[in-house]
Amino acid sequence: MESDLLIGGDIGGTHMRLALVTPDGEILHQSREATLVRAGAADVVGRLALQCREMMEEGRRAGGRARAVGLGVAGKIDRRAGAVLFSPNLPTMNGFPLAGELGRALVLPVFLENDADVFGVGESLLGAGRGIPHWIGVTLGTGVGGCLILGGKLWRGDDLGFCGELGHMVIDPGGPLCACGLRGCLEAHASSSALKQGVRDAVNGGRLRKGILHEACLTGELTSELICQEARLGDDLSRDLFHRLGWSLGLALAGLFSVLGLRHAVIGGGVCSGWDLFIGPLMESLTHHSSMLDPGQAVIRRGELGDEAALAGSARLAWARISGSHESTS
Ligand SMILES: [Zn+2]
């Protein structure tokens, strides 16, 4: 008898990654290719369909059958229509019925999910959130994403296309401008974009006039990895930017812990490579801003699965949709 398999995916602004996954979240095969989002939505779907067909073929070779596709996408998602409403990383996808178009091409059900939600489900199933019933998930990448796992399940709120959007909590109304148009969001302090903007502001303000970051800023080669590297070498500006990142996260988590009566958080995403640079300021800020929680009870964990959290999580949510099971993550 053929075993049930799923295709889990993570569609980012730079890469589209897919995996062949068992219903339990075990990844059997992975692939990655450039998204090339400027080529347009139809072109992206065409290449995505090819990538999915390769996965389906891999599934057959493994003695199984792909039953559905789950895709994590950054932004606001209409889950029922399977459309991307607004994605900052995939502007040509806005309003596009991605799930319907891909589903027709593959003759398989396709489900869209928010990228931070699939991170949360993946970490809950197999990673740092395993065995913890209630926790707050945070992803630190180009932007800041978030999710809530409550009672072992992904919290959907009123199903408005967004939920757990920590990145757009205003933590300083007079703070830096955010990509969403507001001022002082967490994302404007704690994302890789915020780290880079901090360097650009120092260059434009004449506070940074030489050195590797100055040069990278002028040549357009500035990355958060470079800022991380400079911080480790003792560069004051870079250290301050990671300090601000930790401070802002501690402030946001302290408020959420008080509101929700929780004490666990899991933080993932590429910016976690600078974990040692921000976890100290984060814990200090959390202690400073906690009114109800005894700060000693707070547990802040680093995600364990890296990129695989989103692949396992998107597959798991697709399985929940087709099998009619609750979206339990365990
Ligand atoms: Zn914002």
PDB file of all heavy atoms in Angstrom, residues 115-116 119 137-146 166-167 186-187 189-193 195 224-225 242 245-246 248-249 253 266-275 278-279 282 300 302:
ATOM      1  N   ASP A 115       4.363  32.365   6.866  1.00  0.00           N
ATOM      2  CA  ASP A 115       5.661  31.704   7.088  1.00  0.00           C
ATOM      3  C   ASP A 115       6.021  31.559   8.569  1.00  0.00           C
ATOM      4  O   ASP A 115       6.675  30.586   8.954  1.00  0.00           O
ATOM      5  CB  ASP A 115       6.781  32.409   6.306  1.00  0.00           C
ATOM      6  CG  ASP A 115       6.988  33.846   6.719  1.00  0.00           C
ATOM      7  OD1 ASP A 115       6.101  34.426   7.375  1.00  0.00           O
ATOM      8  OD2 ASP A 115       8.054  34.400   6.389  1.00  0.00           O
ATOM      9  N   ALA A 116       5.607  32.512   9.407  1.00  0.00           N
ATOM     10  CA  ALA A 116       5.915  32.375  10.839  1.00  0.00           C
ATOM     11  C   ALA A 116       5.039  31.299  11.474  1.00  0.00           C
ATOM     12  O   ALA A 116       5.457  30.616  12.416  1.00  0.00           O
ATOM     13  CB  ALA A 116       5.716  33.704  11.562  1.00  0.00           C
ATOM     14  N   PHE A 119       6.676  27.987  10.744  1.00  0.00           N
ATOM     15  CA  PHE A 119       7.839  27.868  11.646  1.00  0.00           C
ATOM     16  C   PHE A 119       7.364  27.339  13.007  1.00  0.00           C
ATOM     17  O   PHE A 119       7.941  26.409  13.578  1.00  0.00           O
ATOM     18  CB  PHE A 119       8.528  29.237  11.805  1.00  0.00           C
ATOM     19  CG  PHE A 119       9.322  29.397  13.075  1.00  0.00           C
ATOM     20  CD1 PHE A 119      10.603  28.874  13.165  1.00  0.00           C
ATOM     21  CD2 PHE A 119       8.789  30.048  14.187  1.00  0.00           C
ATOM     22  CE1 PHE A 119      11.339  29.002  14.339  1.00  0.00           C
ATOM     23  CE2 PHE A 119       9.511  30.191  15.359  1.00  0.00           C
ATOM     24  CZ  PHE A 119      10.796  29.655  15.436  1.00  0.00           C
ATOM     25  N   GLY A 137       6.053  32.328  19.292  1.00  0.00           N
ATOM     26  CA  GLY A 137       7.116  32.121  18.312  1.00  0.00           C
ATOM     27  C   GLY A 137       7.484  33.437  17.651  1.00  0.00           C
ATOM     28  O   GLY A 137       6.608  34.263  17.370  1.00  0.00           O
ATOM     29  N   VAL A 138       8.765  33.624  17.437  1.00  0.00           N
ATOM     30  CA  VAL A 138       9.251  34.842  16.784  1.00  0.00           C
ATOM     31  C   VAL A 138      10.241  34.434  15.701  1.00  0.00           C
ATOM     32  O   VAL A 138      11.104  33.586  15.943  1.00  0.00           O
ATOM     33  CB  VAL A 138       9.997  35.764  17.787  1.00  0.00           C
ATOM     34  CG1 VAL A 138      10.310  37.106  17.149  1.00  0.00           C
ATOM     35  CG2 VAL A 138       9.212  35.957  19.069  1.00  0.00           C
ATOM     36  N   THR A 139      10.109  35.004  14.510  1.00  0.00           N
ATOM     37  CA  THR A 139      11.119  34.763  13.471  1.00  0.00           C
ATOM     38  C   THR A 139      11.798  36.079  13.130  1.00  0.00           C
ATOM     39  O   THR A 139      11.141  37.078  12.842  1.00  0.00           O
ATOM     40  CB  THR A 139      10.497  34.166  12.187  1.00  0.00           C
ATOM     41  OG1 THR A 139       9.466  35.029  11.716  1.00  0.00           O
ATOM     42  CG2 THR A 139       9.921  32.788  12.450  1.00  0.00           C
ATOM     43  N   LEU A 140      13.125  36.059  13.194  1.00  0.00           N
ATOM     44  CA  LEU A 140      13.914  37.254  12.908  1.00  0.00           C
ATOM     45  C   LEU A 140      14.612  37.064  11.570  1.00  0.00           C
ATOM     46  O   LEU A 140      15.580  36.305  11.464  1.00  0.00           O
ATOM     47  CB  LEU A 140      14.966  37.471  14.004  1.00  0.00           C
ATOM     48  CG  LEU A 140      14.472  37.540  15.447  1.00  0.00           C
ATOM     49  CD1 LEU A 140      15.653  37.684  16.403  1.00  0.00           C
ATOM     50  CD2 LEU A 140      13.504  38.706  15.618  1.00  0.00           C
ATOM     51  N   GLY A 141      14.092  37.710  10.547  1.00  0.00           N
ATOM     52  CA  GLY A 141      14.699  37.622   9.220  1.00  0.00           C
ATOM     53  C   GLY A 141      14.684  39.005   8.589  1.00  0.00           C
ATOM     54  O   GLY A 141      14.918  39.997   9.286  1.00  0.00           O
ATOM     55  N   THR A 142      14.373  39.071   7.306  1.00  0.00           N
ATOM     56  CA  THR A 142      14.234  40.372   6.634  1.00  0.00           C
ATOM     57  C   THR A 142      13.229  41.219   7.414  1.00  0.00           C
ATOM     58  O   THR A 142      13.410  42.416   7.602  1.00  0.00           O
ATOM     59  CB  THR A 142      13.729  40.170   5.183  1.00  0.00           C
ATOM     60  OG1 THR A 142      14.559  39.218   4.566  1.00  0.00           O
ATOM     61  CG2 THR A 142      13.737  41.462   4.415  1.00  0.00           C
ATOM     62  N   GLY A 143      12.153  40.582   7.841  1.00  0.00           N
ATOM     63  CA  GLY A 143      11.176  41.215   8.736  1.00  0.00           C
ATOM     64  C   GLY A 143      11.134  40.434  10.045  1.00  0.00           C
ATOM     65  O   GLY A 143      11.958  39.567  10.281  1.00  0.00           O
ATOM     66  N   VAL A 144      10.151  40.767  10.885  1.00  0.00           N
ATOM     67  CA  VAL A 144       9.937  40.006  12.130  1.00  0.00           C
ATOM     68  C   VAL A 144       8.550  39.378  12.056  1.00  0.00           C
ATOM     69  O   VAL A 144       7.557  40.090  11.904  1.00  0.00           O
ATOM     70  CB  VAL A 144      10.039  40.918  13.373  1.00  0.00           C
ATOM     71  CG1 VAL A 144       9.655  40.153  14.631  1.00  0.00           C
ATOM     72  CG2 VAL A 144      11.445  41.483  13.508  1.00  0.00           C
ATOM     73  N   GLY A 145       8.502  38.053  12.120  1.00  0.00           N
ATOM     74  CA  GLY A 145       7.223  37.346  12.100  1.00  0.00           C
ATOM     75  C   GLY A 145       6.928  36.785  13.475  1.00  0.00           C
ATOM     76  O   GLY A 145       7.802  36.738  14.346  1.00  0.00           O
ATOM     77  N   GLY A 146       5.697  36.341  13.658  1.00  0.00           N
ATOM     78  CA  GLY A 146       5.358  35.774  14.959  1.00  0.00           C
ATOM     79  C   GLY A 146       4.181  34.833  14.859  1.00  0.00           C
ATOM     80  O   GLY A 146       3.439  34.827  13.877  1.00  0.00           O
ATOM     81  N   LEU A 166       3.778  39.895  15.758  1.00  0.00           N
ATOM     82  CA  LEU A 166       4.605  40.643  16.715  1.00  0.00           C
ATOM     83  C   LEU A 166       5.386  41.772  16.060  1.00  0.00           C
ATOM     84  O   LEU A 166       5.638  42.798  16.672  1.00  0.00           O
ATOM     85  CB  LEU A 166       5.667  39.706  17.306  1.00  0.00           C
ATOM     86  CG  LEU A 166       5.383  38.967  18.571  1.00  0.00           C
ATOM     87  CD1 LEU A 166       4.366  37.904  18.314  1.00  0.00           C
ATOM     88  CD2 LEU A 166       6.670  38.383  19.093  1.00  0.00           C
ATOM     89  N   GLY A 167       5.802  41.534  14.830  1.00  0.00           N
ATOM     90  CA  GLY A 167       6.677  42.488  14.143  1.00  0.00           C
ATOM     91  C   GLY A 167       6.048  43.857  14.021  1.00  0.00           C
ATOM     92  O   GLY A 167       6.767  44.860  13.944  1.00  0.00           O
ATOM     93  N   LEU A 186       8.213  46.727  16.218  1.00  0.00           N
ATOM     94  CA  LEU A 186       9.301  45.815  16.610  1.00  0.00           C
ATOM     95  C   LEU A 186      10.189  45.497  15.406  1.00  0.00           C
ATOM     96  O   LEU A 186      11.413  45.460  15.504  1.00  0.00           O
ATOM     97  CB  LEU A 186       8.703  44.533  17.199  1.00  0.00           C
ATOM     98  CG  LEU A 186       9.712  43.461  17.619  1.00  0.00           C
ATOM     99  CD1 LEU A 186      10.649  43.967  18.706  1.00  0.00           C
ATOM    100  CD2 LEU A 186       8.991  42.193  18.071  1.00  0.00           C
ATOM    101  N   GLU A 187       9.551  45.291  14.240  1.00  0.00           N
ATOM    102  CA  GLU A 187      10.315  44.960  13.028  1.00  0.00           C
ATOM    103  C   GLU A 187      11.344  46.040  12.666  1.00  0.00           C
ATOM    104  O   GLU A 187      12.400  45.730  12.116  1.00  0.00           O
ATOM    105  CB  GLU A 187       9.337  44.744  11.862  1.00  0.00           C
ATOM    106  CG  GLU A 187      10.011  44.418  10.552  1.00  0.00           C
ATOM    107  CD  GLU A 187       9.039  43.885   9.507  1.00  0.00           C
ATOM    108  OE1 GLU A 187       8.306  42.917   9.808  1.00  0.00           O
ATOM    109  OE2 GLU A 187       9.009  44.429   8.391  1.00  0.00           O
ATOM    110  N   HIS A 189      13.122  47.554  14.646  1.00  0.00           N
ATOM    111  CA  HIS A 189      14.228  47.473  15.607  1.00  0.00           C
ATOM    112  C   HIS A 189      14.955  46.126  15.549  1.00  0.00           C
ATOM    113  O   HIS A 189      16.126  46.054  15.904  1.00  0.00           O
ATOM    114  CB  HIS A 189      13.710  47.612  17.047  1.00  0.00           C
ATOM    115  CG  HIS A 189      13.099  48.944  17.357  1.00  0.00           C
ATOM    116  ND1 HIS A 189      11.816  49.269  17.019  1.00  0.00           N
ATOM    117  CD2 HIS A 189      13.610  50.029  17.974  1.00  0.00           C
ATOM    118  CE1 HIS A 189      11.548  50.497  17.429  1.00  0.00           C
ATOM    119  NE2 HIS A 189      12.631  50.991  18.006  1.00  0.00           N
ATOM    120  N   ALA A 190      14.235  45.072  15.156  1.00  0.00           N
ATOM    121  CA  ALA A 190      14.750  43.722  15.439  1.00  0.00           C
ATOM    122  C   ALA A 190      14.905  42.823  14.205  1.00  0.00           C
ATOM    123  O   ALA A 190      15.110  41.627  14.358  1.00  0.00           O
ATOM    124  CB  ALA A 190      13.828  43.041  16.463  1.00  0.00           C
ATOM    125  N   SER A 191      14.820  43.372  12.994  1.00  0.00           N
ATOM    126  CA  SER A 191      14.966  42.558  11.778  1.00  0.00           C
ATOM    127  C   SER A 191      16.333  42.797  11.154  1.00  0.00           C
ATOM    128  O   SER A 191      17.053  43.724  11.543  1.00  0.00           O
ATOM    129  CB  SER A 191      13.879  42.961  10.776  1.00  0.00           C
ATOM    130  OG  SER A 191      14.002  44.340  10.475  1.00  0.00           O
ATOM    131  N   SER A 192      16.679  41.997  10.158  1.00  0.00           N
ATOM    132  CA  SER A 192      17.941  42.270   9.455  1.00  0.00           C
ATOM    133  C   SER A 192      17.833  43.606   8.719  1.00  0.00           C
ATOM    134  O   SER A 192      18.818  44.336   8.594  1.00  0.00           O
ATOM    135  CB  SER A 192      18.294  41.129   8.496  1.00  0.00           C
ATOM    136  OG  SER A 192      17.402  41.083   7.421  1.00  0.00           O
ATOM    137  N   SER A 193      16.632  43.953   8.251  1.00  0.00           N
ATOM    138  CA  SER A 193      16.444  45.266   7.596  1.00  0.00           C
ATOM    139  C   SER A 193      16.743  46.389   8.585  1.00  0.00           C
ATOM    140  O   SER A 193      17.332  47.413   8.208  1.00  0.00           O
ATOM    141  CB  SER A 193      15.005  45.434   7.110  1.00  0.00           C
ATOM    142  OG  SER A 193      14.616  44.339   6.348  1.00  0.00           O
ATOM    143  N   LEU A 195      18.756  46.252  11.201  1.00  0.00           N
ATOM    144  CA  LEU A 195      20.207  46.309  11.450  1.00  0.00           C
ATOM    145  C   LEU A 195      20.881  47.103  10.326  1.00  0.00           C
ATOM    146  O   LEU A 195      21.710  47.989  10.575  1.00  0.00           O
ATOM    147  CB  LEU A 195      20.800  44.895  11.507  1.00  0.00           C
ATOM    148  CG  LEU A 195      20.403  44.022  12.698  1.00  0.00           C
ATOM    149  CD1 LEU A 195      20.894  42.590  12.500  1.00  0.00           C
ATOM    150  CD2 LEU A 195      20.955  44.576  14.008  1.00  0.00           C
ATOM    151  N   SER A 224      23.274  41.663   7.149  1.00  0.00           N
ATOM    152  CA  SER A 224      23.207  41.530   8.609  1.00  0.00           C
ATOM    153  C   SER A 224      24.332  40.614   9.109  1.00  0.00           C
ATOM    154  O   SER A 224      24.811  40.770  10.228  1.00  0.00           O
ATOM    155  CB  SER A 224      21.840  41.010   9.047  1.00  0.00           C
ATOM    156  OG  SER A 224      21.561  39.774   8.444  1.00  0.00           O
ATOM    157  N   GLU A 225      24.777  39.671   8.260  1.00  0.00           N
ATOM    158  CA  GLU A 225      25.895  38.786   8.653  1.00  0.00           C
ATOM    159  C   GLU A 225      27.171  39.609   8.869  1.00  0.00           C
ATOM    160  O   GLU A 225      27.930  39.353   9.803  1.00  0.00           O
ATOM    161  CB  GLU A 225      26.164  37.717   7.576  1.00  0.00           C
ATOM    162  CG  GLU A 225      25.102  36.650   7.443  1.00  0.00           C
ATOM    163  CD  GLU A 225      23.897  37.107   6.616  1.00  0.00           C
ATOM    164  OE1 GLU A 225      23.977  38.177   5.972  1.00  0.00           O
ATOM    165  OE2 GLU A 225      22.875  36.419   6.638  1.00  0.00           O
ATOM    166  N   PHE A 242      22.712  45.397  17.783  1.00  0.00           N
ATOM    167  CA  PHE A 242      22.269  44.100  18.332  1.00  0.00           C
ATOM    168  C   PHE A 242      21.704  44.279  19.740  1.00  0.00           C
ATOM    169  O   PHE A 242      20.778  43.573  20.151  1.00  0.00           O
ATOM    170  CB  PHE A 242      23.404  43.066  18.312  1.00  0.00           C
ATOM    171  CG  PHE A 242      23.461  42.313  17.016  1.00  0.00           C
ATOM    172  CD1 PHE A 242      24.353  42.684  16.021  1.00  0.00           C
ATOM    173  CD2 PHE A 242      22.593  41.260  16.765  1.00  0.00           C
ATOM    174  CE1 PHE A 242      24.384  42.005  14.808  1.00  0.00           C
ATOM    175  CE2 PHE A 242      22.618  40.583  15.557  1.00  0.00           C
ATOM    176  CZ  PHE A 242      23.514  40.949  14.572  1.00  0.00           C
ATOM    177  N   LEU A 245      18.256  45.484  19.287  1.00  0.00           N
ATOM    178  CA  LEU A 245      17.431  44.355  18.836  1.00  0.00           C
ATOM    179  C   LEU A 245      16.959  43.530  20.049  1.00  0.00           C
ATOM    180  O   LEU A 245      15.773  43.231  20.204  1.00  0.00           O
ATOM    181  CB  LEU A 245      18.255  43.508  17.862  1.00  0.00           C
ATOM    182  CG  LEU A 245      17.586  42.322  17.164  1.00  0.00           C
ATOM    183  CD1 LEU A 245      18.250  42.084  15.808  1.00  0.00           C
ATOM    184  CD2 LEU A 245      17.647  41.051  17.973  1.00  0.00           C
ATOM    185  N   GLY A 246      17.910  43.190  20.925  1.00  0.00           N
ATOM    186  CA  GLY A 246      17.568  42.396  22.106  1.00  0.00           C
ATOM    187  C   GLY A 246      16.645  43.159  23.043  1.00  0.00           C
ATOM    188  O   GLY A 246      15.650  42.611  23.544  1.00  0.00           O
ATOM    189  N   SER A 248      14.503  45.533  22.327  1.00  0.00           N
ATOM    190  CA  SER A 248      13.149  45.666  21.776  1.00  0.00           C
ATOM    191  C   SER A 248      12.384  44.339  21.877  1.00  0.00           C
ATOM    192  O   SER A 248      11.189  44.327  22.188  1.00  0.00           O
ATOM    193  CB  SER A 248      13.204  46.155  20.330  1.00  0.00           C
ATOM    194  OG  SER A 248      13.882  45.225  19.510  1.00  0.00           O
ATOM    195  N   LEU A 249      13.076  43.237  21.653  1.00  0.00           N
ATOM    196  CA  LEU A 249      12.421  41.934  21.763  1.00  0.00           C
ATOM    197  C   LEU A 249      12.009  41.636  23.202  1.00  0.00           C
ATOM    198  O   LEU A 249      10.919  41.113  23.460  1.00  0.00           O
ATOM    199  CB  LEU A 249      13.380  40.833  21.305  1.00  0.00           C
ATOM    200  CG  LEU A 249      13.301  40.387  19.858  1.00  0.00           C
ATOM    201  CD1 LEU A 249      14.420  39.398  19.570  1.00  0.00           C
ATOM    202  CD2 LEU A 249      11.950  39.738  19.583  1.00  0.00           C
ATOM    203  N   LEU A 253       8.202  40.922  24.364  1.00  0.00           N
ATOM    204  CA  LEU A 253       7.855  39.646  25.009  1.00  0.00           C
ATOM    205  C   LEU A 253       7.335  39.861  26.424  1.00  0.00           C
ATOM    206  O   LEU A 253       6.404  39.174  26.859  1.00  0.00           O
ATOM    207  CB  LEU A 253       9.058  38.696  25.015  1.00  0.00           C
ATOM    208  CG  LEU A 253       9.427  38.106  23.644  1.00  0.00           C
ATOM    209  CD1 LEU A 253      10.723  37.306  23.734  1.00  0.00           C
ATOM    210  CD2 LEU A 253       8.292  37.215  23.099  1.00  0.00           C
ATOM    211  N   VAL A 266      10.009  30.916  21.618  1.00  0.00           N
ATOM    212  CA  VAL A 266      11.026  30.288  20.757  1.00  0.00           C
ATOM    213  C   VAL A 266      11.338  31.271  19.638  1.00  0.00           C
ATOM    214  O   VAL A 266      10.425  31.780  18.986  1.00  0.00           O
ATOM    215  CB  VAL A 266      10.516  28.948  20.163  1.00  0.00           C
ATOM    216  CG1 VAL A 266      11.563  28.361  19.213  1.00  0.00           C
ATOM    217  CG2 VAL A 266      10.177  27.956  21.269  1.00  0.00           C
ATOM    218  N   ILE A 267      12.613  31.551  19.454  1.00  0.00           N
ATOM    219  CA  ILE A 267      13.025  32.541  18.452  1.00  0.00           C
ATOM    220  C   ILE A 267      13.826  31.839  17.358  1.00  0.00           C
ATOM    221  O   ILE A 267      14.775  31.108  17.631  1.00  0.00           O
ATOM    222  CB  ILE A 267      13.877  33.655  19.102  1.00  0.00           C
ATOM    223  CG1 ILE A 267      13.098  34.304  20.249  1.00  0.00           C
ATOM    224  CG2 ILE A 267      14.281  34.699  18.071  1.00  0.00           C
ATOM    225  CD1 ILE A 267      13.883  35.352  21.032  1.00  0.00           C
ATOM    226  N   GLY A 268      13.420  32.055  16.108  1.00  0.00           N
ATOM    227  CA  GLY A 268      14.134  31.467  14.970  1.00  0.00           C
ATOM    228  C   GLY A 268      14.430  32.517  13.919  1.00  0.00           C
ATOM    229  O   GLY A 268      14.254  33.711  14.152  1.00  0.00           O
ATOM    230  N   GLY A 269      14.870  32.067  12.753  1.00  0.00           N
ATOM    231  CA  GLY A 269      15.189  32.983  11.651  1.00  0.00           C
ATOM    232  C   GLY A 269      16.680  33.250  11.552  1.00  0.00           C
ATOM    233  O   GLY A 269      17.439  33.007  12.504  1.00  0.00           O
ATOM    234  N   GLY A 270      17.101  33.746  10.408  1.00  0.00           N
ATOM    235  CA  GLY A 270      18.522  33.914  10.098  1.00  0.00           C
ATOM    236  C   GLY A 270      19.282  34.817  11.057  1.00  0.00           C
ATOM    237  O   GLY A 270      20.478  34.611  11.313  1.00  0.00           O
ATOM    238  N   VAL A 271      18.607  35.830  11.618  1.00  0.00           N
ATOM    239  CA  VAL A 271      19.291  36.785  12.505  1.00  0.00           C
ATOM    240  C   VAL A 271      19.715  36.103  13.823  1.00  0.00           C
ATOM    241  O   VAL A 271      20.543  36.625  14.570  1.00  0.00           O
ATOM    242  CB  VAL A 271      18.399  38.033  12.748  1.00  0.00           C
ATOM    243  CG1 VAL A 271      19.053  39.030  13.685  1.00  0.00           C
ATOM    244  CG2 VAL A 271      18.077  38.710  11.419  1.00  0.00           C
ATOM    245  N   CYS A 272      19.171  34.901  14.078  1.00  0.00           N
ATOM    246  CA  CYS A 272      19.572  34.150  15.282  1.00  0.00           C
ATOM    247  C   CYS A 272      21.051  33.772  15.249  1.00  0.00           C
ATOM    248  O   CYS A 272      21.592  33.344  16.273  1.00  0.00           O
ATOM    249  CB  CYS A 272      18.723  32.895  15.448  1.00  0.00           C
ATOM    250  SG  CYS A 272      17.168  33.236  16.244  1.00  0.00           S
ATOM    251  N   SER A 273      21.708  33.911  14.101  1.00  0.00           N
ATOM    252  CA  SER A 273      23.164  33.672  14.079  1.00  0.00           C
ATOM    253  C   SER A 273      23.862  34.648  15.028  1.00  0.00           C
ATOM    254  O   SER A 273      24.967  34.393  15.476  1.00  0.00           O
ATOM    255  CB  SER A 273      23.708  33.787  12.660  1.00  0.00           C
ATOM    256  OG  SER A 273      23.415  35.054  12.146  1.00  0.00           O
ATOM    257  N   GLY A 274      23.213  35.768  15.358  1.00  0.00           N
ATOM    258  CA  GLY A 274      23.786  36.724  16.319  1.00  0.00           C
ATOM    259  C   GLY A 274      23.217  36.544  17.723  1.00  0.00           C
ATOM    260  O   GLY A 274      23.219  37.477  18.525  1.00  0.00           O
ATOM    261  N   TRP A 275      22.741  35.330  18.026  1.00  0.00           N
ATOM    262  CA  TRP A 275      22.080  35.024  19.316  1.00  0.00           C
ATOM    263  C   TRP A 275      22.892  35.537  20.506  1.00  0.00           C
ATOM    264  O   TRP A 275      22.366  36.188  21.412  1.00  0.00           O
ATOM    265  CB  TRP A 275      21.891  33.513  19.414  1.00  0.00           C
ATOM    266  CG  TRP A 275      21.160  33.043  20.637  1.00  0.00           C
ATOM    267  CD1 TRP A 275      21.714  32.620  21.808  1.00  0.00           C
ATOM    268  CD2 TRP A 275      19.737  32.946  20.802  1.00  0.00           C
ATOM    269  NE1 TRP A 275      20.728  32.255  22.687  1.00  0.00           N
ATOM    270  CE2 TRP A 275      19.503  32.446  22.100  1.00  0.00           C
ATOM    271  CE3 TRP A 275      18.642  33.235  19.987  1.00  0.00           C
ATOM    272  CZ2 TRP A 275      18.219  32.221  22.591  1.00  0.00           C
ATOM    273  CZ3 TRP A 275      17.361  33.011  20.482  1.00  0.00           C
ATOM    274  CH2 TRP A 275      17.159  32.518  21.764  1.00  0.00           C
ATOM    275  N   PHE A 278      22.557  39.265  21.232  1.00  0.00           N
ATOM    276  CA  PHE A 278      21.315  39.924  21.673  1.00  0.00           C
ATOM    277  C   PHE A 278      20.598  39.250  22.842  1.00  0.00           C
ATOM    278  O   PHE A 278      19.719  39.849  23.446  1.00  0.00           O
ATOM    279  CB  PHE A 278      20.344  40.142  20.497  1.00  0.00           C
ATOM    280  CG  PHE A 278      19.720  38.898  19.910  1.00  0.00           C
ATOM    281  CD1 PHE A 278      18.674  38.253  20.556  1.00  0.00           C
ATOM    282  CD2 PHE A 278      20.147  38.390  18.686  1.00  0.00           C
ATOM    283  CE1 PHE A 278      18.079  37.117  20.011  1.00  0.00           C
ATOM    284  CE2 PHE A 278      19.555  37.243  18.134  1.00  0.00           C
ATOM    285  CZ  PHE A 278      18.521  36.621  18.799  1.00  0.00           C
ATOM    286  N   ILE A 279      20.970  38.004  23.191  1.00  0.00           N
ATOM    287  CA  ILE A 279      20.189  37.320  24.236  1.00  0.00           C
ATOM    288  C   ILE A 279      20.383  37.993  25.613  1.00  0.00           C
ATOM    289  O   ILE A 279      19.437  38.078  26.404  1.00  0.00           O
ATOM    290  CB  ILE A 279      20.487  35.799  24.278  1.00  0.00           C
ATOM    291  CG1 ILE A 279      19.512  35.077  25.217  1.00  0.00           C
ATOM    292  CG2 ILE A 279      21.924  35.494  24.652  1.00  0.00           C
ATOM    293  CD1 ILE A 279      18.070  35.138  24.803  1.00  0.00           C
ATOM    294  N   LEU A 282      18.280  41.098  25.690  1.00  0.00           N
ATOM    295  CA  LEU A 282      16.878  40.658  25.675  1.00  0.00           C
ATOM    296  C   LEU A 282      16.439  40.277  27.095  1.00  0.00           C
ATOM    297  O   LEU A 282      15.392  40.725  27.576  1.00  0.00           O
ATOM    298  CB  LEU A 282      16.723  39.469  24.728  1.00  0.00           C
ATOM    299  CG  LEU A 282      15.313  38.957  24.436  1.00  0.00           C
ATOM    300  CD1 LEU A 282      15.294  38.159  23.134  1.00  0.00           C
ATOM    301  CD2 LEU A 282      14.707  38.125  25.533  1.00  0.00           C
ATOM    302  N   ILE A 300      13.387  31.494  27.224  1.00  0.00           N
ATOM    303  CA  ILE A 300      13.533  31.940  25.838  1.00  0.00           C
ATOM    304  C   ILE A 300      14.463  30.962  25.136  1.00  0.00           C
ATOM    305  O   ILE A 300      15.634  30.835  25.498  1.00  0.00           O
ATOM    306  CB  ILE A 300      14.150  33.363  25.750  1.00  0.00           C
ATOM    307  CG1 ILE A 300      13.462  34.335  26.718  1.00  0.00           C
ATOM    308  CG2 ILE A 300      14.127  33.868  24.313  1.00  0.00           C
ATOM    309  CD1 ILE A 300      12.023  34.619  26.411  1.00  0.00           C
ATOM    310  N   ARG A 302      16.132  29.142  21.550  1.00  0.00           N
ATOM    311  CA  ARG A 302      16.464  29.343  20.148  1.00  0.00           C
ATOM    312  C   ARG A 302      15.870  28.186  19.338  1.00  0.00           C
ATOM    313  O   ARG A 302      15.931  27.036  19.779  1.00  0.00           O
ATOM    314  CB  ARG A 302      17.992  29.370  20.007  1.00  0.00           C
ATOM    315  CG  ARG A 302      18.469  29.642  18.613  1.00  0.00           C
ATOM    316  CD  ARG A 302      19.983  29.803  18.615  1.00  0.00           C
ATOM    317  NE  ARG A 302      20.466  29.926  17.252  1.00  0.00           N
ATOM    318  CZ  ARG A 302      21.722  30.168  16.921  1.00  0.00           C
ATOM    319  NH1 ARG A 302      22.627  30.328  17.865  1.00  0.00           N
ATOM    320  NH2 ARG A 302      22.088  30.272  15.666  1.00  0.00           N
TER     321      ARG A 302
END
